[in-house]
Amino acid sequence: MTAAPHSEDDNPLRGPPELLGEFGEFGGRYVAETLMPAVEELAREWPKAWADYAFVDEYRAILRDYVGRPTPLTEARRLPAAIGGGRIFLKREDLNHTGAHKINNCIGQVLLARRLGKTRIIAETGAGQHGVATATACAYFGMPCTVYMGAEDVSRQALNVVRMRLLGAEVRPVTSGSATLKDAINAALRDWVASVADTHYVIGSVMGPDPYPLMVRELQRVIGDEARAQILDRIGRLPDAAVACVGGGSNAMGLFAAFVPDKEVRLFGVEATGEGLQGRHAATMAKGRIGVFHGMRSLVLQTDDGQLLEAHSISAGLDYPGIGPEHAHLHATGRARYLGISDREALAATELLARTEGIIPALETAHAIAALPQVIAELGPEAVVIVNVSGRGDKDMHTVMTHLDPATLALIAEAERERKAARAAHHGATGSHPGEEALIVDGHELRADGKEGA
Amino acid sequence: MSAGVDRVAAAFTRAREENRAALVGYLTGFDPDRAGSLERIFAACEGGLDVLELGVPFSDPTADGPTIQAAMTRALASGASVAGALALAAEIRRRFELPIVLFSYANPLISYGPERLSRETAEAGADALLVVDLPPEHAEVLRGPASARGLGWVGLVAPTTTPNRRARVLGASSGFVYAVSLTGVTGAPLNPGDPALHAGLATLRSASSLPIVVGFGVRKAEDVRALAGHADGVVVGSALVEAGQRGPAALGELVKTLRAGTLRA
Ligand SMILES: Cc1ncc(COP(=O)(O)O)c(C=O)c1O
């Protein structure tokens, strides 16, 4: 850990940077006074918990017996031929319980909340993956859970709303602002300001006020620690590069954490350029400016006047106008590089990984896959690369369907027409009335335009 | 004529001499638009505000409840900016002598440039800054340049604030200290007769010689009356913003009734 335990008794107005959880010039605790004591308590108690064998053992046991860790490191068999070579190792966070890396963090934070005597959990969610993971951890520990979700995302990610509610969580749609992830975080912060006495806020990425960026990185570093041991075991040396997509940056920091000290390992974060840098995007590294947002000083997509811009990515999990402060630091110091991948490239990479490896990645993950050709072109066809498969793509099938695959839509429409014709013929024969029926797939009514029916 | 932190002090001295609490009113600049907000602010000042908190809109006001959030959203939609808010302050200053406190969030103010912001705030005739998401640990970036221009820095003390933190907030404050009345966001329901709240204000009083104002959730004259004996000033925000939506006249009327509530028994 980079930060020393914090003390509330340090009296100077501005203590040394490590006392405020700063990564170079980034990080800090920019929150309303009401929340400062809670944030200080977390900053004091988190390092104690993380240094406590009983706590860490319980966390690791749950990751093993419930989440399904360690996750495999799968060497890609047919992908390299399609991307210019390389030996590509896929770190399979998609195989975690609930289908993404998010659960590593949620188990740890809910354990910590219990240790601190908190009796209620709140969280924000964009794609719904962090919400599902938090709801899951709360079901596991028997804690009440409220998840804030932008109204836009509630409709984009309806299946995850159903999952959260099945898991017993209350989902509160947020209609203020752009009604997406940043507004869900605003709403969760407002809840926390009022409920801080008994409530812990499980932030879903390496962002927010200190100690969250540090704590979430430590709870995700199991990804990198496992991957490092696995690659050494497999090929007897470190990889040439580690690659991961970056929304807030937790799956990337989790992977990078183990390799940051290994200077020979290049680190590549991949952010979403959406419709392109001239259009709507979520490219915080490329287009952001230093600002103070959601409790941290970091790079932020904002107007000249300091108002936040709405981010856009086809993947709801990357649709965020900020980035974790440690990434801003790795970027500023040159230790990591950040590449951009568009919506279209991510969709193509989803199909590529599915067809070459039999793995359907989350659209977030697909951004990392799509950046591989550039990484291989730079490092050469002999390069060994670990890429984090941060999540599986089931949650995105609806988006993929509407964007990617007219052929699938045509197939479904054709089947529906044939079925209706057959029913009409049957009803015609029996004299009963044919109803307007849609095809039911996976509990969802599908229409030929790919939109969900009522 | 005094300015900056001195003008703030003078306003509290005057109220004390009149045996009443100062009435501190919050309104958002550019809500519903530039001209409309000026009309409303003028009406409120004429109604009897002692101190004006002028909200400089931010897209993501996480410490504010739905009323002030919506006001900031309306203001940004009608072209609010930091420069625009400073120009509003200058226009208010041409007509009124009351202290003006700029209320905002760190990002728009820091983004404007701390030196430039402090200089132009002083030039506009505004007197202090209140930045809700800049705790004392991070305040220097704005507080330093603002203090150099004679501007006040209003620190916030919340019900959750520990004694150690209280000392730190008070050490960074000038002009007055803002006691947040409840654990929550602006506009949340408040019991102004809560003995715990009164005890908290008494503790704060014994820890500082600065004027203490209490706010969050204060809506009616009887709320003001219940708190006037426990603090040097009482802040009304969301209720003024709501009245402003009914027009300048309704807002002016509300301020008059609130002002009547500031007299101590
Ligand atoms: C599968 C997956 N990958 C990546 C992300 C992006 O988050 P982060 O950058 O914190 O890893 C998300 C967020 O929802 C996600 O669901």
Side-chain angles (χ1 to χ4, degrees):
Chain A
M1 279 187 286
T2 58
H6 304 72
S7 153
E8 203 191 330
D9 297 324
D10 51 302
N11 230 336
L13 284 184
R14 189 186 175 82
E18 69 272 18
L19 293 180
L20 285 167
E22 290 178 342
F23 302 94
E25 58 175 323
F26 304 104
R29 293 182 200 145
Y30 296 84
V31 294
E33 178 59 29
T34 308
L35 289 180
M36 276 303 274
V39 163
E40 283 185 341
E41 179 191 32
L42 274 180
R44 232 178 14 251
E45 296 302 324
W46 157 252
K48 288 188 206 157
W50 202 228
D52 177 350
Y53 284 108
F55 179 89
V56 174
D57 283 352
E58 187 173 6
Y59 165 72
R60 291 202 178 132
I62 297 168
L63 291 191
R64 183 190 63 224
D65 302 334
Y66 182 65
V67 174
R69 302 204 72 95
T71 59
L73 187 70
T74 306
E75 180 164 11
R77 298 178 67 241
R78 303 200 312 117
L79 176 66
I83 60 168
R87 284 188 78 178
I88 310 293
F89 291 86
L90 308 166
K91 182 57 178 164
R92 301 294 305 283
E93 292 303 297
D94 59 314
L95 295 179
N96 282 325
H97 179 42
T98 71
H101 68 292
K102 297 283 179 186
I103 188 104
N104 303 328
N105 170 41
C106 296
I107 294 289
Q109 281 202 49
V110 176
L111 260 178
L112 180 68
R114 205 185 56 175
R115 180 183 166 106
L116 297 180
K118 305 286 181 178
T119 54
R120 173 178 174 258
I121 295 294
I122 57 172
E124 85 291 343
T125 197
Q129 287 306 102
H130 175 59
V132 166
T134 307
T136 300
C138 286
Y140 182 87
F141 288 107
M143 292 257 242
C145 176
T146 299
V147 180
Y148 290 91
M149 187 170 190
E152 273 298 313
D153 293 330
V154 168
S155 58
R156 277 200 283 191
Q157 305 284 338
L159 282 175
N160 272 342
V161 176
V162 177
R163 291 171 81 195
M164 286 183 270
R165 289 175 56 89
L166 269 179
L167 290 160
E170 178 198 2
V171 180
R172 291 193 191 160
V174 178
T175 51
S176 59
S178 55
T180 60
L181 178 58
K182 93 174 165 66
D183 308 283
I185 295 171
N186 291 344
L189 283 168
R190 289 185 187 111
D191 179 315
W192 203 32
V193 165
S195 62
V196 60
D198 64 358
T199 298
H200 175 71
Y201 177 14
V202 179
I203 293 184
S205 193
V206 286
M207 43 147 299
D210 174 69
Y212 283 99
L214 182 73
M215 175 167 71
V216 177
R217 180 197 77 197
E218 290 300 297
L219 290 171
Q220 291 291 3
R221 73 173 300 138
V222 62
I223 302 171
D225 288 343
E226 282 178 10
R228 194 173 185 282
Q230 285 165 324
I231 195 84
L232 286 175
D233 183 51
R234 196 80 56 86
I235 65 169
R237 73 167 178 95
L238 290 171
D240 298 300
V243 182
C245 68
V246 179
S250 67
N251 87 87
M253 267 330 302
L255 178 65
F256 291 178
F259 297 106
V260 165
D262 303 316
K263 297 293 180 226
E264 68 272 34
V265 181
R266 312 267 303 264
L267 306 175
F268 292 92
V270 185
E271 61 181 5
T273 57
E275 295 167 349
L277 288 180
Q278 307 316 316
R280 302 185 306 148
H281 60 79
T284 314
M285 289 298 189
K287 292 288 188 177
R289 194 158 61 74
I290 292 179
V292 171
F293 179 53
H294 285 159
M296 61 188 173
R297 186 168 194 269
S298 190
L299 290 170
V300 178
L301 294 176
Q302 56 181 316
T303 67
D304 290 344
D305 208 42
Q307 309 296 342
L308 271 287
L309 289 168
E310 281 178 30
H312 164 80
S313 167
I314 191 170
S315 68
L318 304 185
D319 199 345
Y320 181 62
I323 191 160
E326 191 167 9
H327 282 292
H329 181 57
L330 292 176
H331 176 65
T333 56
R335 178 65 189 93
R337 267 185 50 211
Y338 294 83
L339 311 174
I341 288 296
S342 70
D343 289 349
R344 200 140 27 95
E345 292 167 316
L347 280 164
T350 303
E351 190 169 5
L352 177 66
L353 192 68
R355 295 196 175 189
T356 55
E357 300 296 333
I359 297 170
I360 301 175
L363 281 172
E364 291 81 8
T365 306
H367 287 72
I369 304 298
L372 290 175
Q374 189 179 334
V375 172
I376 296 300
E378 222 171 277
L379 302 185
E382 307 303 320
V384 175
V385 176
I386 297 181
V387 59
N388 199 6
V389 181
S390 57
R392 67 176 188 230
D394 308 40
K395 70 184 175 65
D396 295 317
M397 284 310 99
H398 212 80
T399 310
V400 169
M401 232 176 107
T402 54
H403 284 85
L404 187 68
D405 195 358
T408 305
L409 293 181
L411 202 72
I412 291 172
E414 176 61 21
E416 189 173 357
R417 261 193 305 278
E418 280 176 16
R419 195 178 63 114
K420 273 193 188 154
R423 280 182 74 92
H426 174 73
H427 288 302
T430 59
S432 69
H433 196 74
E436 254 303 308
E437 279 180 42
L439 187 68
I440 307 289
V441 174
D442 200 16
H444 272 241
E445 241 185 70
L446 294 177
R447 299 191 314 222
D449 58 4
K451 299 221 170 66
E452 264 172 53
Chain B
M1 208 52 239
S2 65
V5 72
D6 297 333
R7 174 154 41 209
V8 176
F12 285 100
T13 303
R14 198 175 320 118
R16 186 166 58 247
E17 285 166 2
E18 294 171 10
N19 193 31
R20 59 183 186 83
L23 180 61
V24 183
Y26 168 89
L27 287 163
T28 305
F30 282 72
D31 170 32
D33 52 30
R34 188 180 197 285
S37 73
L38 262 186
E39 263 188 291
R40 283 160 180 77
I41 290 166
F42 289 169
C45 292
E46 275 154 14
L49 290 189
D50 292 297
V51 178
L52 172 67
E53 267 183 41
L54 177 63
V56 181
F58 179 46
S59 52
D60 295 79
T62 50
D64 282 298
T67 300
I68 293 179
Q69 272 175 61
M72 289 192 167
T73 304
R74 284 192 297 272
L76 289 170
S78 18
S81 63
V82 176
L86 289 169
L88 275 192
E91 286 199 43
I92 300 161
R93 175 57 65 233
R94 280 197 279 281
R95 298 216 359 203
F96 296 94
E97 256 310 312
L98 85 176
I100 302 172
V101 180
L102 297 186
F103 168 104
S104 194
Y105 287 78
N107 200 53
L109 301 189
I110 294 175
S111 171
Y112 197 70
E115 287 296 338
R116 177 180 173 210
L117 178 86
S118 302
R119 186 181 68 245
E120 294 182 13
T121 299
E123 283 167 4
D127 306 291
L129 300 178
L130 193 174
V131 189
V132 277
D133 56 350
L134 271 187
E137 291 86 340
H138 291 302
E140 254 339 270
V141 57
L142 280 179
R143 184 185 166 272
S147 303
R149 300 271 169 187
L151 300 173
W153 182 266
V154 180
L156 295 105
V157 174
T160 50
T161 302
T162 55
N164 278 327
R165 289 203 55 79
R166 190 196 306 128
R168 212 183 285 176
V169 173
L170 291 173
S173 300
S174 57
F176 62 93
V177 181
Y178 196 125
V180 177
S181 60
L182 50 80
T183 306
V185 292
T186 54
L190 171 73
N191 170 12
D194 182 2
L197 169 59
H198 299 170
L201 290 169
T203 308
L204 189 56
R205 158 60 52 246
S206 65
S208 172
S209 55
L210 286 171
I212 292 161
V213 309
V214 57
F216 278 39
V218 180
R219 304 190 57 85
K220 304 185 294 282
E222 61 191 85
D223 302 342
V224 174
R225 206 168 291 124
L227 291 166
H230 298 277
D232 302 293
V234 181
V235 191
V236 184
S238 299
L240 293 193
V241 172
E242 282 164 26
Q245 289 192 268
R246 300 192 296 274
L251 175 58
E253 275 312 305
L254 176 62
V255 172
K256 267 185 213 139
T257 17
L258 293 169
R259 170 70 182 245
T262 59
L263 267 174
R264 297 193 177 112

